[in-house]
Amino acid sequence: MLPVKLDAISQGVAPSQAAEIAWQAGLVACLGSGLIELVGAWIGHRLRQVAPRAAMLSTLSGIALTFIAIGFFLRTFANPIVGLVPLGVILLTYFGRVNFGIPGGLLSVVLGMALAWGTGLVQWDSELFAQAMQPLGFYVPKLWIGAIWEQGSVLGRYFSIILPMGLFNLVGSLQNLESAEAAGDCYPTAPCLAANGIGTLVAAVCGSCFPTTIYIGHPGWKEMGARIGYSWLNGLVMGIFCLSGTLGLITYLVPIDAGMAIVLWIGIVIVAQSFTATPAAHAPAVVMGVLPGIAAWGALIAKNSLRVAGVGTPEQPFEPEVLVANFKLSDTFIEGAFALEQGVILSAMMLAAITVYIIEQKFGLAALWAVGAAILAWMGLIHSFAWIPTDTVVELGWGAGAEWAIGYLMMAILFLFAAWLNNGHQIL
């Protein structure tokens, strides 16, 4: 959506109108993602059968540890007077089994609100409150097929972005199903993915540029006592907030610091499950699957830091040669982080699966997964990236990730040689 907005502004379109064009492009991208998820319903079960559990769960762990947990962890210690008490309540409730008489999550949020407002971290602002009150009303859902039609060309122009995002969403949904099964709840793959895809299509047609996805953190929600009613109530409450325009008011009154301990705990549970729900011998594979997520988060932090310093803007764009050379002065190979950032969900799963089969001395299977990684890299679905003035983005195309593909193929040959040595000169 951002490239569409910047392109519109560069052509003289007013920022408000450019934002609307970007939203329409997001609807098209959401529609494309839903179609990919819907098609994936026919192959999802087979992929779950082939991929080791450590490969599925460790990928989720990398995302949970970085993009879910660590940001809130940093925020907790940036505002310790507000953040540490709600975190303590959550840890006592769900790890220490302490009964406070009311749900621990509710108590955590109430204490967080009281501390945030009482310490002045959040202060009354009549202008912001008026802005939060302004959207109050009743909004009838509408169809936005016309808006999708107007920006239909986006599907072709940005297919190289929409395709991998749709695939990542599909694989992420499979991993969440695996996480639920590891927590004791087995759901059929095809109908789950189909419902997810249909939900995304409906979201796009109704004006949402955000695809739906199967819950991450199933073990954590289950541990909190959530059952099937949780999903219904969640949808009902959020629907009321959105259709009545009260969401802005809620976010004004309830600061992020009041509820972030719950999400932080969910991240902890997801990471812990990847170790407890897999064979102990596969622990190194879990770690291998977590590393790409950490690298992707590091890439995000590096780029955000550069932007804070004034680099990575249209006025002062990223200059690859200068940036890479400067990072290397501190022994930081930032281009490796940028490579792992692209297709992180797929590459993490591939590396973890390879490690599982090495641990099990099934070197032929490890070679097959390495070949699979080589194919994905060659197509640009993992690792391949291109520099633009404000960011690094996925580069999809035939041979786009040739150097990583060659590396994986060489690794596959090594594994086949190991299989030949290990099995008395028999590869499989």
Side-chain angles (χ1 to χ4, degrees):
M1 292 170 67
L2 181 61
V4 172
K5 179 183 177 182
L6 295 176
D7 182 56
I9 291 176
S10 67
Q11 296 178 26
V13 177
S16 59
Q17 187 179 354
E20 184 170 347
I21 293 172
W23 163 70
Q24 291 176 325
L27 300 186
V28 176
C30 186
L31 192 74
S33 181
L35 291 172
I36 292 170
E37 291 180 66
L38 193 56
V39 172
W42 305 103
I43 61 172
H45 181 66
R46 180 58 182 164
L47 182 58
R48 282 187 67 190
Q49 288 180 320
V50 171
R53 173 166 287 183
M56 290 287 198
L57 299 187
S58 65
T59 305
L60 285 183
S61 293
I63 302 300
L65 182 65
T66 53
F67 294 97
I68 293 179
I70 201 167
F72 292 123
F73 195 58
L74 297 178
R75 188 163 180 159
T76 297
F77 283 87
N79 301 299
I81 295 177
V82 176
L84 285 174
V85 170
L87 176 60
V89 171
I90 292 297
L91 296 178
L92 285 170
T93 301
Y94 300 115
F95 290 145
R97 309 297 179 184
V98 175
N99 185 358
F100 289 101
I102 64 173
L106 176 60
L107 178 61
S108 174
V109 171
V110 170
L111 288 175
M113 287 179 61
L115 289 168
W117 285 95
T119 60
L121 179 64
V122 180
Q123 298 182 351
W124 179 261
D125 187 314
S126 57
E127 184 176 342
L128 290 177
F129 180 73
Q131 291 178 3
M133 293 288 289
Q134 188 176 1
L136 291 179
F138 179 70
Y139 298 87
V140 179
K142 296 192 297 183
L143 300 180
W144 296 92
I145 298 175
I148 295 174
W149 180 261
E150 288 178 18
Q151 293 294 321
S153 61
V154 167
L155 195 59
R157 282 188 290 136
Y158 291 94
F159 183 74
S160 62
I161 298 175
I162 295 171
L163 175 61
M165 288 185 66
L167 290 175
F168 301 156
N169 208 8
L170 170 64
V171 174
S173 294
L174 291 174
Q175 291 164 348
N176 289 324
L177 287 173
E178 190 68 24
S179 176
E181 184 170 326
D185 299 310
C186 183
Y187 298 98
T189 304
C192 289
L193 294 180
N196 196 27
I198 293 170
T200 297
L201 294 176
V202 171
V205 172
C206 290
S208 173
C209 51
F210 300 106
T212 60
T213 188
I214 295 174
Y215 277 168
I216 189 172
H218 180 96
W221 305 120
K222 182 179 179 180
E223 187 73 15
M224 293 174 69
R227 297 295 183 265
I228 189 172
Y230 174 82
S231 293
W232 285 101
L233 288 173
N234 196 19
L236 178 63
V237 171
M238 291 303 297
I240 292 173
F241 284 162
C242 293
L243 296 177
S244 62
T246 55
L247 195 58
L249 181 62
I250 296 296
T251 56
Y252 175 76
L253 296 175
V254 184
I256 292 176
D257 304 81
M260 63 185 181
I262 298 174
V263 185
L264 174 57
W265 176 75
I266 292 295
I268 294 171
V269 171
I270 293 172
V271 178
Q273 186 201 43
S274 66
F275 287 96
T276 59
T278 56
H282 291 177
V286 173
V287 176
M288 182 65 81
V290 170
L291 289 176
I294 297 175
W297 184 79
L300 174 66
I301 296 302
K303 286 186 282 191
N304 285 345
S305 301
L306 290 169
R307 294 185 185 107
V308 169
V311 183
T313 64
E315 295 76 23
Q316 190 174 351
F318 286 151
E319 297 179 1
E321 296 79 9
V322 176
L323 290 179
V324 171
N326 286 339
F327 271 105
K328 283 183 178 178
L329 292 176
S330 62
D331 199 32
T332 302
F333 289 80
I334 196 64
E335 67 270 38
F338 294 154
L340 284 165
E341 181 186 24
Q342 304 303 334
V344 59
I345 291 178
L346 292 174
S347 60
M349 186 171 67
M350 291 289 171
L351 290 170
I354 288 171
T355 308
V356 164
Y357 289 121
I358 289 175
I359 292 170
E360 295 183 350
Q361 295 188 325
K362 298 177 180 178
F363 304 126
L365 289 176
L368 288 176
W369 277 88
V371 170
I375 294 172
L376 293 176
W378 183 266
M379 297 170 62
L381 290 171
I382 60 174
H383 304 321
S384 177
F385 68 95
W387 293 85
I388 61 174
T390 59
D391 207 344
T392 57
V393 297
V394 64
E395 184 179 25
L396 195 67
W398 188 255
E403 56 182 316
W404 293 282
I406 292 171
Y408 280 121
L409 285 176
M410 294 172 65
M411 182 183 280
I413 294 171
L414 174 64
F415 295 155
L416 291 175
F417 178 68
W420 181 74
L421 287 177
N422 198 58
N423 296 329
H425 300 176
Q426 291 182 2
I427 293 178
L428 295 175

